[in-house]
Structure formats: C-alpha cells, structure tokens
Amino acid sequence: MLWERLFRVLPQCAAVVCVAPYWADFLRARGVDNVRVIYNAFDMTGVERARAFDRTECRAEFGLSPDVIGVHAGKAVH
C-alpha cells in the first residue's frame, strides 16, 4: 500500500514539509524526525491544470522511471 511505502521512505528524507502542526505531529509520532511546518494557501486552478498532464510524458520529460513515486506538495511563491 502507498501509505506503508511512504512511511518507510519519509524517515530517510532530508526534510519533510507539512502545512500544519497537526500533520507534523502525526508524522513525528510515526518516526519521521526531520519535519518542518510551512503554512501556505493554494489555488485549486493550478492543481486541476496539473491533474490534466499526461503522466507518461511528465515521467519522460524528467527522466523518472515507472517505479519512482513522485509527490508534488506545492510550489514556492513569494
């Protein structure tokens, strides 16, 4: 299951960023130590546009093999 695989990998990450203290506490309780909270808001228009992308084309563009799990959790905006 994806959650099980994710919780095995997250402790190995250099950093894990959450948008709320609730999620940071949730992850820390499950052994993820390097968690940071950065509050943000997002525009669903961009999310819907990204959902329309062809996954195979995106993987080819960024050189990602089919067995790599990619997670996009936002973008840095000032």
Side-chain angles (χ1 to χ4, degrees):
M1 178 171 243
L2 179 59
W3 279 108
E4 293 168 347
R5 187 168 180 185
L6 186 61
F7 282 118
R8 282 194 307 268
V9 173
L10 285 176
Q12 301 171 37
C13 293
V16 177
V17 178
C18 299
V19 296
Y22 170 86
W23 291 112
D25 293 340
F26 178 88
L27 291 172
R28 285 184 189 113
R30 286 155 180 81
V32 182
D33 295 323
N34 199 9
V35 181
R36 302 289 181 261
V37 177
I38 299 176
Y39 299 93
N40 69 346
F42 59 92
D43 180 359
M44 284 302 292
T45 306
V47 173
E48 294 303 327
R49 188 172 46 240
R51 286 182 177 159
F53 292 159
D54 182 276
R55 290 181 184 192
T56 303
E57 289 177 13
C58 289
R59 286 182 177 281
E61 180 179 343
F62 294 104
L64 301 173
S65 64
D67 63 334
V68 171
I69 295 176
V71 178
H72 177 270
K75 62 181 181 179
V77 178
H78 294 257

